Amino acid sequence: MITCYLRYIIDADKLGEFEHYAKLWIPLVNRFGGQHHGYFLPSEGANNVAYALFSFPSLALYEQYRIDSMQDAECLAAFAYAKSTRCIISYERSFLRPVFE
């Protein structure tokens, strides 16, 4: 299993737009065979940092999701929404390997 960790720098004045963007992606990741663990929006502390976590059974399946998402109308619409609203300033992506025992 591989877990993708995303750290976003968002426009604090566009938190509602970012939350809408987040809600678009959760079912999309799940539809492509991943398991979305949710988005985590600012509450206390920094008001412009948000996080997301989702997992795929393997890095190969994640890579296939990335390829397929670039050809999917709903995914492309979600990307376009973020671009048009400019709710995301930047993001970084890391991959984690969970240890359960």
Side-chain angles (χ1 to χ4, degrees):
M1 177 186 291
I2 193 82
T3 298
C4 183
Y5 161 87
L6 290 158
R7 180 179 184 267
Y8 294 93
I9 303 300
I10 62 173
D11 183 331
D13 293 326
K14 296 182 179 177
L15 183 58
E17 289 87 345
F18 182 78
E19 185 169 351
H20 177 75
Y21 170 80
K23 289 178 179 179
L24 293 173
W25 274 106
I26 291 169
L28 292 172
V29 167
N30 293 337
R31 180 165 53 91
F32 279 94
Q35 179 183 0
H36 211 295
H37 306 295
Y39 280 80
F40 302 87
L41 306 183
S43 178
E44 297 293 324
N47 68 349
N48 68 336
V49 178
Y51 302 94
L53 289 165
F54 59 90
S55 299
F56 276 83
S58 68
L59 184 57
L61 290 173
Y62 168 80
E63 291 171 344
Q64 188 61 52
Y65 146 76
R66 293 280 295 166
I67 292 167
D68 293 345
S69 69
M70 298 309 260
Q71 301 170 28
D72 181 83
E74 288 180 86
C75 294
L76 295 175
F79 288 131
Y81 175 81
K83 186 174 182 178
S84 71
T85 63
R86 297 180 182 213
C87 60
I88 300 170
I89 296 169
S90 65
Y91 68 93
E92 59 188 47
R93 182 180 314 146
S94 297
F95 296 94
L96 308 167
R97 178 181 48 87
V99 176
F100 296 116
E101 294 182 30

